[in-house]
Amino acid sequence: MPGRIARRAAFVAEVPMQAIWKGSVSFGLVSIPVKVYAATQEKDISFRQVHAADGGRIRYRRVCEVDGEEVPYSDIAKGYELPDGGMVILTSDDFAQLPLPSRHVVEVLEFVPEEQVDPIYVSRSYYLQPDGPATKPYVLLRDALRNSGQTAVVKVALRNRESLALLRPKDDVLVLQTMLWPDEVRDASFAAPQEDVEVRPQEIAMAESYIQTLQTDFDPTRYHDDYRAALEELIAAKTAGREVEAPAAAPPGGEVVDLMAALQASVEEARRARGETGGKAGGRPSATKKTPKKAAAKPSKKQAGKKTAKKTAAKKSAGKKAARKSA
């Protein structure tokens, strides 16, 4: 069964990619004809909805509530319901005739440093391919963006929706990344801690030590979809009529009482996982400060006076003894 799943995935990968949009990038007075292709594909295991008792498929039918008839997909349009219950019907031709310049043109609005764009705004990614004699201006824009360290902010209409987007180079290709509009990103203040929390410098230092222990260069090929792999194993086991071995249960998480101890243990565990031994956590001095020795208390003025008087008297006594001996 896993082999069948793998073959099916390979077949999907071999299917020629279809351009989802054709138009041009408007770069000043330069027009660059391009084709747009989806840059990503989500790989998941698809399931059918079935009756648990006998495995029968559950079917959904598109039925018109006015005449009770099943409606073919080709006859379905989009409807906008008015406050009074009326319906405005919009067909695919209506959407195609929207008077939007961005419907066929990727309009460059401005250029900004890429690090200024919060990733929360990024929605979907697409590859742009030069179309026809557009190779030279395509390469010109790609290299100019790379050399300047800037990202183009553009407007484009894809899939019946106008979006802000970013245009940036990735290797030898221009990538278009659609963005959410500002009013589509929810305010995050509700999720911030409501009470004042004091974090000690030692705790911050230990947390930074843990970060440094796991610090590396990003390589997405190191990570794998364990959930999908487990599903494939489950399907294969059920097909073969065998039991699936349950993984060892993770220890239950509890409330962290000693934050410093938990951080220290995290650093040590991370270093062990990387095969590092010896030395202090994270290659830095331990964040746990040693308790300094208490300085000796300074004598008071009265005590100092008494000590001085005793020293003077001792000197006088020593002088008298020396005079007697000489006599």
Side-chain angles (χ1 to χ4, degrees):
M1 187 69 177
R4 188 189 307 171
I5 295 174
R7 288 194 298 273
R8 184 174 61 187
F11 174 77
V12 172
E14 292 170 1
V15 175
M17 294 181 63
Q18 298 292 325
I20 64 168
W21 189 89
K22 288 182 66 174
S24 61
V25 176
S26 177
F27 176 46
L29 298 179
V30 178
S31 181
I32 310 172
V34 294
K35 295 179 181 178
V36 176
Y37 298 86
T40 60
Q41 58 175 348
E42 293 187 6
K43 294 185 177 180
D44 201 356
I45 298 176
S46 59
F47 293 97
R48 304 287 189 185
Q49 286 193 324
V50 297
H51 186 193
D54 53 23
R57 287 278 303 276
I58 304 298
R59 301 282 184 176
Y60 290 93
R61 292 182 172 84
R62 296 174 292 271
V63 178
C64 175
E65 65 178 19
V66 175
D67 57 18
E69 297 293 327
E70 186 173 354
V71 181
Y73 189 79
S74 58
D75 289 349
I76 294 179
K78 295 183 183 294
Y80 180 82
E81 188 171 359
L82 300 173
D84 61 1
M87 195 70 68
V88 177
I89 299 175
L90 299 174
T91 65
S92 56
D93 291 338
D94 293 323
F95 286 103
Q97 295 171 6
L98 282 174
L100 286 175
S102 58
R103 195 162 57 87
H104 295 295
V105 177
V106 178
E107 180 187 1
V108 176
L109 304 177
E110 56 190 7
F111 298 92
V112 300
E114 185 175 357
E115 62 271 13
Q116 290 186 1
V117 181
D118 191 322
I120 198 171
Y121 286 99
V122 176
S123 178
R124 292 180 177 272
S125 299
Y126 302 90
Y127 291 142
L128 267 58
Q129 180 188 53
D131 188 18
T135 303
K136 184 171 182 177
Y138 180 99
V139 172
L140 171 66
L141 177 57
R142 182 198 67 193
D143 292 351
L145 287 172
R146 179 182 291 117
N147 295 340
S148 65
Q150 298 289 299
T151 296
V153 178
V154 304
K155 247 187 182 184
V156 62
L158 289 174
R159 303 184 185 280
N160 297 329
R161 172 190 172 106
E162 186 179 59
S163 303
L164 275 179
L166 300 176
L167 190 61
R168 64 177 182 84
K170 181 186 184 302
D171 302 326
D172 295 331
V173 178
L174 282 173
V175 174
L176 181 75
Q177 293 180 295
T178 56
M179 302 171 64
L180 300 171
W181 294 100
D183 60 355
E184 293 178 314
V185 177
R186 292 173 175 167
D187 177 55
S189 58
F190 75 94
Q194 299 301 312
E195 66 277 0
D196 293 332
V197 178
E198 183 178 355
V199 181
R200 294 182 298 160
Q202 302 99 307
E203 295 168 337
I204 295 177
M206 185 58 71
E208 290 174 352
S209 180
Y210 178 70
I211 291 172
Q212 287 189 350
T213 304
L214 295 181
Q215 186 172 320
T216 185
D217 293 324
F218 179 63
D219 179 9
T221 61
R222 284 198 299 265
Y223 313 109
H224 306 282
D225 187 349
D226 295 330
Y227 182 80
R228 188 176 65 182
L231 272 180
E232 291 176 353
E233 172 60 24
L234 174 63
I235 293 171
K238 280 188 169 289
T239 303
R242 56 183 171 85
E243 294 292 330
V244 179
E245 294 184 8
E255 183 180 354
V256 177
V257 178
D258 189 338
L259 187 56
M260 279 296 294
L263 288 170
Q264 179 70 53
S266 299
V267 172
E268 293 173 356
E269 178 62 29
R271 297 185 80 249
R272 277 196 298 271
R274 288 195 163 206
E276 300 175 14
T277 57
K280 299 246 179 131
R284 298 179 54 180
S286 174
T288 306
K289 295 183 178 179
K290 293 182 179 179
T291 305
K293 294 181 179 179
K294 291 184 178 180
K298 292 183 178 181
S300 63
K301 289 183 179 180
K302 289 183 178 180
Q303 291 173 333
K306 288 180 180 179
K307 286 185 178 181
T308 304
K310 288 180 179 179
K311 287 181 180 180
T312 304
K315 286 181 179 179
K316 286 181 179 180
S317 175
K320 287 179 180 180
K321 287 181 180 179
R324 288 173 188 170
K325 286 181 181 182
S326 61

